[in-house]
DNA sequence: TACTATTTTTACATACTTGTAACATATTTG
DNA sequence: CAAATATGTTACAAGTATGTAAAAATAGTA
């Protein structure tokens, strides 16, 4: 039986997540703030940590960094819970070192799928210092740098986040709505066509690698080699 | 037609919302307090719930928690209506498990946009990423890719949905009316012969796998291996 | 403040999709 | 066996989704 540590200050949400996790057969530990979360993680090393980014006192980012620095806890996979789309690029990259993230509000199903995926993923390929290579494209998340066939490509924040989102879910079709939620944040109200515009710009800037962003008519976009 | 349950104790507001929702083509159920709201949600599962936070007796937060914990109702998206300002909006709103929130006073336009966004999100969720194999045919729903004996087959949106519908109910005959409802949507007005045309196209594109789509004269179509 | 970079919206072009109708073929029925 | 009925097939006008560029709005900065 796998143990999951939930670090979340909002009691209701923590309770809800615990309830669902237990229903799925996980053992659950909860912590309402960073300090007790750290303590718990060190004392009884869990198989995975769900970490809210917005915590009182020590922020989730800090906690994540601390956990990743200690030998004892560095190998525990961490999934970040965040309300903002804007922070994900920093979070998943080297700076923070989380293994995955879920943007609030998330469905139970979504969360469970992510947890399973992260647990399944081998220890060796944790995302901390991840460099994504797809065809001639190379994304160095730690340096926030992108190259295509050696040539450096300068992207704006939105373009970068959009690319990361597509690249991390390689092959999977993502609807405009999902992209809006993950890149722009849950609170975004606007035209889904905005995504199209950014896709166009991304394709242009990426040059030959831009062809790897495929349109799936009626559904959304996906990224795929060749 | 989508059904929306409005749980709101202020009669005037409830009425106004109902009026606007109906104008947009939704079916509306209303409940003036938590208990009847819960009952209604369980009895006639709606597609979405608009939930006032400030209710007599049981609070909206409680209701939200209860709904999210029950298997039957946990998947219903909930939009919170709250009169309180900034500090509560994010924290209480969707961290309880709700899918979105709107702060009173809200414009009709805003509410409708949120509803649409949340409903869209839900539709995305439903398509789980599984791989269906039937004979030489392979359907990868997450990649939205179809292969027959390794060869990739490009389908249009309608063709794809039609195939999924047949493949998911393997062996079972489905009438043209049922297919129209499932693939084209319940309010589709048109010729049932449209189905035939698409079946033909599907068979052609699928090549040898197309033979697995069988005609059941007088009843409809079914999919069956060999 | 003005200026720049970036993002979003708008508008239009284009390419793809689709429902229908018309005709062909097959099957059932009387 | 012919008529009636059901399904198969094809072509095309109309509809729809996406691509793209340019204007408008916004955010960021000196």
């Amino acid at each position: 039986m796998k143990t999951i540590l939930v670090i979340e200050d909002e009691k209701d949400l923590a309770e809800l997540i615990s309830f669902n996790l237990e229903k799925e057969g996980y053992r659950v530990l909860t912590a309402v703030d960073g300090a007790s979360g750290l303590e718990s993680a060190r004392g009884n090393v869990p198989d995975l940590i769900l970490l809210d980014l917005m915590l009182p006192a020590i922020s989730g980012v800090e906690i994540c960094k601390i956990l990743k620095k200690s030998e004892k806890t560095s190998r525990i996979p961490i999934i970040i819970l965040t309300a903002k789309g804007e922070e994900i690029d920093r979070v998943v990259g080297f700076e923070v070192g989380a293994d995955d993230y879920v943007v609030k509000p998330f469905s139970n199903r979504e969360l469970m799928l992510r947890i399973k995926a992260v647990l399944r993923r081998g220890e060796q390929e944790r995302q901390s210092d991840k460099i994504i290579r797809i065809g001639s494209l190379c994304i160095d998340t730690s340096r926030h740098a992108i190259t295509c066939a050696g040539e450096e490509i300068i992207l704006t924040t939105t373009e970068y986040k959009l690319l990361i989102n597509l690249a991390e879910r390689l092959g999977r079709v993502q609807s405009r709505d999902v992209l809006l939620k993950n890149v722009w944040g849950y609170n975004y109200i606007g035209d889904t066509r905005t995504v199209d515009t950014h896709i166009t710009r991304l394709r242009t800037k990426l040059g030959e690698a831009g062809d790897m962003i495929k349109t799936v008519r009626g559904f959304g976009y996906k990224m795929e080699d060749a």
Side-chain angles (χ1 to χ4, degrees), chain A:
Chain A
M1 190 194 272
K2 301 269 185 182
T3 302
I4 296 181
L5 170 60
V6 181
I7 308 178
E8 164 70 62
D9 64 317
E10 177 53 41
K11 286 229 181 85
D12 290 329
L13 183 59
E15 209 174 289
L16 182 67
I17 293 173
S18 298
F19 173 80
N20 285 318
L21 285 172
E22 277 163 6
K23 210 169 60 180
E24 289 282 322
Y26 298 106
R27 198 157 71 87
V28 184
L29 304 173
T30 52
V32 292
D33 60 66
S36 58
L38 279 172
E39 201 181 318
S40 180
R42 285 171 186 145
N44 187 352
V45 179
D47 296 290
L48 186 142
I49 295 175
L50 290 182
L51 175 62
D52 189 1
L53 263 202
M54 302 270 279
L55 290 171
I58 327 175
S59 83
V61 173
E62 282 308 312
I63 305 212
C64 197
K65 282 196 219 172
I66 295 168
L67 286 168
K68 287 294 175 189
K69 269 184 195 160
S70 154
E71 180 59 38
K72 193 171 181 182
T73 55
S74 70
R75 267 182 293 271
I76 308 171
I78 298 176
I79 296 179
I80 295 281
L81 309 177
T82 174
K84 296 180 194 166
E86 47 193 77
E87 284 171 313
I88 57 155
D89 54 323
R90 242 166 16 99
V91 165
V92 180
F94 181 70
E95 196 181 331
V96 182
D99 296 85
D100 206 346
Y101 61 90
V102 184
V103 179
K104 296 178 188 179
F106 45 80
S107 71
N108 179 46
R109 189 178 154 277
E110 194 179 345
L111 182 62
M112 295 304 155
L113 283 175
R114 288 289 167 78
I115 289 174
K116 272 184 205 147
V118 170
L119 286 175
R120 217 182 309 125
R121 208 145 59 196
E123 297 236 340
Q124 70 282 9
E125 45 164 334
R126 283 285 133 69
Q127 298 189 320
S128 347
D129 50 351
K130 192 171 59 178
I131 293 181
I132 306 173
R133 285 173 208 281
I134 309 166
S136 59
L137 193 70
C138 180
I139 308 169
D140 185 338
T141 55
S142 68
R143 297 194 341 216
H144 220 282
I146 292 164
T147 55
C148 173
E151 287 288 303
E152 184 164 12
I153 292 167
I154 311 286
L155 297 182
T156 67
T157 322
T158 313
E159 286 157 5
Y160 179 82
K161 279 189 280 181
L162 184 58
L163 177 62
I164 293 286
N165 242 277
L166 291 165
E168 280 188 332
R169 292 164 181 77
L170 199 67
R172 307 197 145 199
V173 177
Q174 302 202 80
S175 70
R176 292 177 174 73
D177 292 307
V178 166
L179 290 170
L180 277 176
K181 178 179 160 190
N182 287 336
V183 174
W184 279 263
Y186 81 97
N187 211 16
Y188 182 82
I189 288 285
D191 200 336
T192 58
R193 293 302 308 279
T194 298
V195 179
D196 299 32
T197 305
H198 284 273
I199 288 280
T200 299
R201 272 209 294 275
L202 242 188
R203 281 176 172 155
T204 311
K205 282 199 185 177
L206 292 184
E208 61 174 73
D211 296 341
M212 294 192 297
I213 302 176
K214 310 272 165 69
T215 303
V216 182
R217 205 167 224 275
F219 291 88
Y221 297 94
K222 70 175 171 180
M223 194 155 186
E224 220 164 37
D225 195 354

